[in-house]
Amino acid sequence: MDICFIQHTHSETASRIFDLQLRSYKIEADLIDFEGLPPLQDSKEAIMKSNEVFIGCVYDQQLLGVLSYEETNYKIYINRLMVDPDHFRKGIGQRMLSYLIDAYPEDTIIVQTGAKNKPAVELYKKHGFQPTDEVEVAPGVTITQMECLPTS
């Protein structure tokens, strides 16, 4: 498996990201009982126009996972982290997260995830993220913000 930058501005690549995003975030929506997740309201065109940086986990020309982020003033904001549901629990999310942390050792990395999404919360904690805030975005739906402080 390789972690590499992916060209989300290309139509075919954006289609692959969008398909993966819908399938992956549908699982999170079910876990937290909230169909209003922003990634489920996205479009291929929005992905193509995004200013985010996209990295992917690719194996045998198959896109198994995607992480996108933005960098602002020594802070990295993870906007998406998704893994093909057919490849859950194979270390794909961990590889992409490790890649990002290693690439930005002097920056704080910030992410938000559903508080009820235990697999995601545990993944982030395993990589040194600590909860910093919780916000109720809809009745009974809480989003946890987590931060990973610089390693150097």
Side-chain angles (χ1 to χ4, degrees), residues 16-78:
R16 292 170 65 194
I17 293 168
F18 184 59
D19 175 62
L20 175 61
Q21 180 168 298
L22 290 179
R23 292 186 305 112
S24 179
Y25 279 99
K26 175 66 173 113
I27 304 291
E28 180 172 12
D30 291 345
L31 281 172
I32 68 171
D33 196 27
F34 183 61
E35 296 298 321
L37 289 175
L40 295 177
Q41 316 307 315
D42 216 348
S43 68
K44 172 187 136 181
E45 292 74 23
I47 290 170
M48 290 176 70
K49 293 177 183 176
S50 173
N51 290 326
E52 300 164 40
V53 176
F54 284 73
I55 59 173
C57 180
V58 179
Y59 178 73
D60 199 24
Q61 298 183 344
Q62 184 179 3
L63 188 60
L64 303 181
V66 173
L67 184 153
S68 73
Y69 64 94
E70 294 177 274
E71 179 183 6
T72 308
N73 299 324
Y74 297 101
K75 290 188 179 178
I76 305 299
Y77 296 89
I78 297 174

Side-chain angles (χ1 to χ4, degrees), residues 133-152:
D133 196 13
E134 285 196 347
V135 177
E136 187 174 46
V137 295
V141 180
T142 302
I143 299 297
T144 299
Q145 179 170 298
M146 304 179 80
E147 291 185 2
C148 181
L149 298 176
T151 57
S152 62

